[in-house]
Amino acid sequence: MDFSSFLTSLGTSFVIFVLLMMVFTWLSRKPGNQVVYFPNRILRGLDPWEGERRSRSPVAWIQQAFAASEADIVAAAGVDAAVYLVFLSSVLGIFVLSGLVLLPVLLPIAVTDHANKTLAESNSNATFNNLDKLAMGNVHAKSSRLWAFFLANYWVSFVTFYVLWKSYKHVSDLRVATRSTPVVRPEDYTVLVRDIPTDPQHVSRKEQVDSYFKALHPDSFYKSMVVTDNKQANKIWVKLEGYKKKLARAEVIFAESKTTSNPEGTRPTNKTGFLGLIGKKVDTINYCNEKITELAAKSEIEQKKTIEDKQQAAALIFFSSRPAAVSASQTLHAQMVDTWTVTEAPEPRQLVWNNLNKKLYTRLIRQYGVYAIVFLTIVFYMIPIAAISAFTTLQNLRRYLPFLKVIVDQKAVKTILEAYLPQLALIIFLAFLPAFLLFLSKAEGIPSQGHVIRAASGKYFYFSVFNVFLGVTVGGTLFASLKIIAKEPKKIVNLLADSLPPNATFFVTYVALQFFVGFGLELSRLVPLIIFHLKKKYLCKTEAEVKEAWAPGDFGYATRVPGNMLIMIVVFCYSVISPIIIPFGVIYFGLGWLIARNQALNVYVPSYESYGRMWPHMHARILASLIIFQVLMLGYLGLKKFYYAPGMIPLIILSFIFAYTCNKRFYPSFSNTPLEMACKDTKEILNLDSVYAAYIHPSLRPEKPDIVNRFGNVEANVLAQSDTV
Amino acid sequence: MDFSSFLTSLGTSFVIFVLLMMVFTWLSRKPGNQVVYFPNRILRGLDPWEGERRSRSPVAWIQQAFAASEADIVAAAGVDAAVYLVFLSSVLGIFVLSGLVLLPVLLPIAVTDHANKTLAESNSNATFNNLDKLAMGNVHAKSSRLWAFFLANYWVSFVTFYVLWKSYKHVSDLRVATRSTPVVRPEDYTVLVRDIPTDPQHVSRKEQVDSYFKALHPDSFYKSMVVTDNKQANKIWVKLEGYKKKLARAEVIFAESKTTSNPEGTRPTNKTGFLGLIGKKVDTINYCNEKITELAAKSEIEQKKTIEDKQQAAALIFFSSRPAAVSASQTLHAQMVDTWTVTEAPEPRQLVWNNLNKKLYTRLIRQYGVYAIVFLTIVFYMIPIAAISAFTTLQNLRRYLPFLKVIVDQKAVKTILEAYLPQLALIIFLAFLPAFLLFLSKAEGIPSQGHVIRAASGKYFYFSVFNVFLGVTVGGTLFASLKIIAKEPKKIVNLLADSLPPNATFFVTYVALQFFVGFGLELSRLVPLIIFHLKKKYLCKTEAEVKEAWAPGDFGYATRVPGNMLIMIVVFCYSVISPIIIPFGVIYFGLGWLIARNQALNVYVPSYESYGRMWPHMHARILASLIIFQVLMLGYLGLKKFYYAPGMIPLIILSFIFAYTCNKRFYPSFSNTPLEMACKDTKEILNLDSVYAAYIHPSLRPEKPDIVNRFGNVEANVLAQSDTV
């Protein structure tokens, strides 16, 4: 990629970004779009614009995002969103502090040396552009200037340690502060027990569980709820809900048809057969009413049957006090560890009901099976990615698809294509993965939705690192020079080192594309806006249907976090080799932080709350990126024949020690609840029945649920739960 | 080593064994030796011979050892001894089951092939003896006979899995059964808390600890005992005890001196200066009485001062019920994990007081520091061991020390020297290590004596494996063929494979020496017997001194277990290569089991009880040996050019899965107490004051301890505790 196409890429990205910002400012002022741009505020019962619509300037949202305190974020979008913002600001902090030293020091050192020029003179094939002059590749091998690059690694590492330590402490305190609020949370009184052994002595599981826990916790045991096989009950419940919706819809249609010319109205009809296309024609309102009565009765019978006969080997145990539940969840119960496994219960809306019944060994086998599949996926996706990135260079396109020559040879087209082709291939390619990884993580047998998402995010991270980063740097080189490697396999190390500096330009463009176009789309919400308006116009009839159409969803950490992390690891790895990437990283995380704050305050509604349990994973992966960077630099300094390159080894060891220390110091209070915290009094009057009721599966609830969920938004909860079935 | 010297070695070992057995039979009948051969029985107040001294045949002890049930063992020597016997019998079981198939199948297959002969014909330097014909080395490369050896690995592995699973289950049940007995154990009601943060709010640690635990455990907290710096108090106490002993001794001497010729007696005197050699001459009885009064007063003042002013950042917390203590010990207390670390309390006699105060990070740094030292020790001991084993072959002796030629060339001397020289070097060499490793393990900051011993045993195991086993097999070869390796480093694998079969003979001799001479000495207790009689005759005056002279001590697991394990790993590794080693392994572990039973029933007195916490370590190391064996066989089969050698890889993976499964299933109930167990009622009436009193350090006890320790043997306990300071 030459310098002009690099500038073109940056320029077009920037233009798109500015356009999207203008679109956002314009569209978000229209009242009809409120529900797309401020759904979170509307659901919380707040005025979207706080009465200043007319005076709202294009940068008002920026002021608002800046002004919000962390407490506001927690109130609007929960602790998880706040922790996600801490992640973004930590990485931002690392890059700002690194850049402050690296840019003014390393750039002049690099630009005043001329290794590339010398090389270029001796080797007419090589092409170097202006950007490469600013990189470490421009420094002569064995030069004493390499000391500056060597020390830069230490600076970046220590900045990372400092910021991460601060952030971990902050998140840990935030977690404790928010969990210590005097609110009754059902999960604080509940323990999940799995692997209940079969015991012929007891008639029912329920009796067995009750007698076991009554004996071990005579003072604090309140009640138990045996997990049941809800498949049948859920089926009926889903049908019932369907008919209710249909009925509501039919009633609206009927009411609308009562015009002045037709005061009686036309009763809507439908056919009962396949997709409403065949079968008997019936009056929809009557038909639905009939069906609802029928299904409600059926549901009641099935509910009774499920609770009595379909008890499974897992249960939720309710305790009368928080400390008792916390102690119980951390105490080994049975001598044989594959029976009576106790853990803290997830939030009701996080429970993955289908996984609760899975036995310890099944879980272990599934877990390792899934790991194996992920490993194979990572390894074998490498091949197509490498193929694509090798194939989609412009030269290759011209070579393999000669009929494109006419178009491709035009200067403007060529420049744009050259700028975007490889990145587009990459972005499209990555769109297929998240659903697959979420499915795999759920298949491991994890009992909580939040944990499933963390697991999927971890897998996505490994995938990103191995395939995108290594695949593009090494993969491109591999294809370009397969013949050389076949002859002399040892040259692969040299090739890697040679390929790093040229790829820097690729990644700078990639980062810029991500933040300009990616964040522009994110902020302007064009896609949800269009979908909402289409749905509203052609599909939705009832209030509930409209509400469903604009339901904002949550942040989607499973893909969002690894996406950020890929950028982070790229910036880390090139921070010293090609420091010019740092400003781009700073803009990415700065803009990302700002937009995420806006989205947290105005748009997304969390579908669960894990009180920042995502943080240890983020922390570990920031450190992993740092270590990958250090190892790469060790290798690269070695290839630059820098005599003191092994001086990187203590730094790598230090990183591991830092990781170990953080893990020892902070992690246990994330994986378990400290007793200190559980002993703080709740001000709310404890109603254990409502704690119990919160855990009843929607399909097993009595027809008219009289217990309104504490989150107010019953419907969303019910939907979220039924998703997890 | 040729065949005749092998037979000589076996023969002499056997003769020594028979002699030692006869000595044992003869000596153990003498009433004066009772205290050496039956100290355990005497301390338990039993009759050593159960009234059948005269009729006692030489094999009576064997009958007795066989007849004893596991309950007898537990009653006599505690659960740890029973678990040690399970370890011996498990390994015995593995070798018996392996041998039953391997010997009749592999030996004929090996002996009817003639690879060695062919080799020997082509290479006149090589010498082969009759033993080597029975080994895998005698089978041709690529021969289909190798299938039998290949399948033998599977047989050995599955036998091991089966036996280990059974044993783990058995030990786990035994642990639960013995811990569930309705006896009040102080450690069941106690929790150790370390890393108490400094809090300027509280005047004293005691207040701080009390208020913290009262808040978190309002119902079950009974009392706390802050750990104090006892150095000064202990110094005074040791002095005081010394003067008490001296006084008792002087009184006996005085009483003895009252003969008929001298009815007044001579009052013993001593000098007060250095070692009683210089200074003023004083009347010992008066002097001691004075000193005792003086020190007792001093001790009381120091005790008060210690308890008030020398409180440290660790404490023992006493709970009013077992389940409460168990829950508390497993529950995370503080949000910051480097404060208020809670663990189960060790037995009072196991407490390593000096380590309790060490902070989390100090402990971690010390731990890794110790690991580094151990690693260096293992690596650098390799050099002397390799040197010794290379140097002490007879040929080398003749070459380097030519003046020995005259002696060495005599046939009888030569045979004996050839048989014993390498083994002796090895045995002597290993005698230096245990104390050093115990010291290192204690320096890690481990709070319990039992844990220290397990840690030392682990280190010793690694040392044995790397230095003795690999050092002798590879080391010998390394020295013998240093030149070849310097030229072609890749040949090292071939050399290892070549060196394995010849070394088999060395190890067979080593095993035989260990069991004939080692177990002979163990059973006959010649060394303790001689020391006891010498002490009794020349040193001991008082009853207490005599008792101390025959105090049997405990099993000494820190060196005993790794010793057994070295033999185990040797037998494992050669079991398929040279199956003739299996009978020797069977005799070793059979005889070891028998003698250990005798010693458990009659001799050793446990100095602590960990309820079989040693087992997971034994289990893990048996499995580690199995895996080393499998990897070695994978390499050896490969070198024999057996086409299906990679078929060993699934077996190795299977071993890891087995290890992982066992760890998941059984280990947690060893590292933590299951609540199930803690909830069993104790029949004994709970006296929490005596629980508290059991943990008072001897140097802080009031002068006349009125609480007799539950183990009856107060003196032994006090001694054991003062050791751990």
Side-chain angles (χ1 to χ4, degrees), chain B residues 502-513:
Chain B
N503 274 306
T505 322
F506 167 87
F507 278 114
V508 167
T509 331
Y510 181 70
V511 172
L513 185 71

Side-chain angles (χ1 to χ4, degrees), chain B residues 408-644:
Chain B
V408 162
D409 282 350
Q410 284 177 330
K411 185 126 182 95
V413 176
K414 186 181 167 182
T415 317
I416 289 170
L417 271 184
E418 210 160 54
Y420 282 127
L421 256 179
Q423 291 91 322
L424 274 180
L426 208 60
I427 291 164
I428 292 167
F429 198 82
L430 286 174
F432 294 101
L433 209 61
F436 179 60
L437 293 179
L438 266 175
F439 164 77
L440 280 180
S441 302
K442 199 173 269 179
E444 281 183 42
I446 295 169
S448 119
Q449 189 64 16
H451 192 171
V452 168
I453 284 171
R454 288 198 295 278
S457 156
K459 295 183 179 73
Y460 205 111
F461 173 72
Y462 290 118
F463 183 86
S464 306
V465 170
F466 281 93
N467 281 295
V468 181
F469 185 61
L470 294 181
V472 167
T473 52
V474 186
T477 320
L478 275 178
F479 265 71
S481 41
L482 212 63
K483 274 185 190 169
I484 305 172
I485 289 165
K487 277 182 198 160
E488 289 171 82
K490 278 184 187 170
K491 277 207 170 170
I492 195 163
V493 185
N494 297 25
L495 280 171
L496 174 61
D498 286 348
S499 75
L500 277 173
N503 274 306
T505 322
F506 167 87
F507 278 114
V508 167
T509 331
Y510 181 70
V511 172
L513 185 71
Q514 284 283 326
F515 64 70
F516 281 138
V517 180
F519 288 151
L521 281 172
E522 166 76 41
L523 185 65
S524 65
R525 286 177 69 75
L526 278 184
V527 181
L529 184 80
I530 293 165
I531 292 174
F532 165 66
H533 280 296
L534 286 177
K535 272 194 180 169
K536 197 180 164 193
K537 192 143 194 188
Y538 299 107
L539 289 172
C540 304
K541 291 291 174 189
T542 64
E543 266 293 296
E545 280 174 334
V546 174
K547 209 172 171 185
E548 212 175 282
W550 59 257
D554 64 5
F555 259 104
Y557 298 109
T559 51
R560 186 178 290 260
V561 173
N564 298 148
M565 281 181 173
L566 177 61
I567 303 296
M568 173 187 73
I569 193 172
V570 165
V571 176
F572 255 127
C573 288
Y574 283 104
S575 60
V576 169
I577 292 180
S578 189
I580 199 72
I581 205 170
I582 293 178
F584 291 89
V586 168
I587 299 174
Y588 178 88
F589 282 97
L591 213 53
W593 178 81
L594 203 63
I595 289 170
R597 270 179 100 85
N598 179 66
Q599 308 298 74
L601 288 169
N602 297 327
V603 182
Y604 295 126
V605 173
S607 65
Y608 66 86
E609 176 64 275
S610 73
Y611 296 97
R613 287 205 58 175
M614 193 85 180
W615 176 257
H617 299 255
M618 292 164 165
H619 170 88
R621 271 159 216 144
I622 297 176
L623 265 181
S625 311
L626 181 74
I627 291 169
I628 293 176
F629 150 67
Q630 290 167 343
V631 172
L632 254 171
M633 286 309 296
L634 169 66
Y636 193 63
L637 280 169
L639 282 163
K640 276 276 172 191
K641 291 178 184 133
F642 182 59
Y643 193 72
Y644 301 99

Side-chain angles (χ1 to χ4, degrees), chain A residues 407-468:
Chain A
I407 312 165
V408 162
D409 283 349
Q410 284 177 331
K411 184 126 180 86
V413 176
K414 188 182 167 183
T415 317
I416 290 171
L417 271 183
E418 211 161 54
Y420 283 127
L421 256 178
Q423 291 90 321
L424 274 180
L426 207 59
I427 291 165
I428 293 167
F429 197 83
L430 286 174
F432 294 101
L433 209 61
F436 179 60
L437 292 180
L438 266 175
F439 164 77
L440 280 180
S441 302
K442 199 174 269 181
E444 281 182 42
I446 294 168
S448 122
Q449 189 66 14
H451 191 171
V452 167
I453 284 171
R454 288 199 295 281
S457 157
K459 294 183 178 74
Y460 205 111
F461 173 73
Y462 291 117
F463 183 85
S464 305
V465 170
F466 280 92
N467 281 294
V468 181

Side-chain angles (χ1 to χ4, degrees), chain A residues 509-550:
Chain A
T509 331
Y510 180 71
V511 172
L513 185 72
Q514 284 282 327
F515 65 68
F516 281 139
V517 181
F519 287 152
L521 281 173
E522 165 77 40
L523 186 66
S524 65
R525 287 178 69 74
L526 279 185
V527 179
L529 185 80
I530 294 165
I531 292 173
F532 165 67
H533 281 294
L534 285 177
K535 270 193 181 168
K536 196 180 164 193
K537 191 143 193 187
Y538 299 108
L539 289 172
C540 305
K541 291 290 173 190
T542 64
E543 267 295 294
E545 280 173 334
V546 174
K547 207 171 172 185
E548 213 174 283
W550 59 258

Side-chain angles (χ1 to χ4, degrees), chain A residues 48 131 175 261 341 437 607 622 687:
Chain A
L131 269 187
R175 178 175 159 87
S261 63
T341 321
L437 292 180
S607 63
I622 297 176
N687 178 356

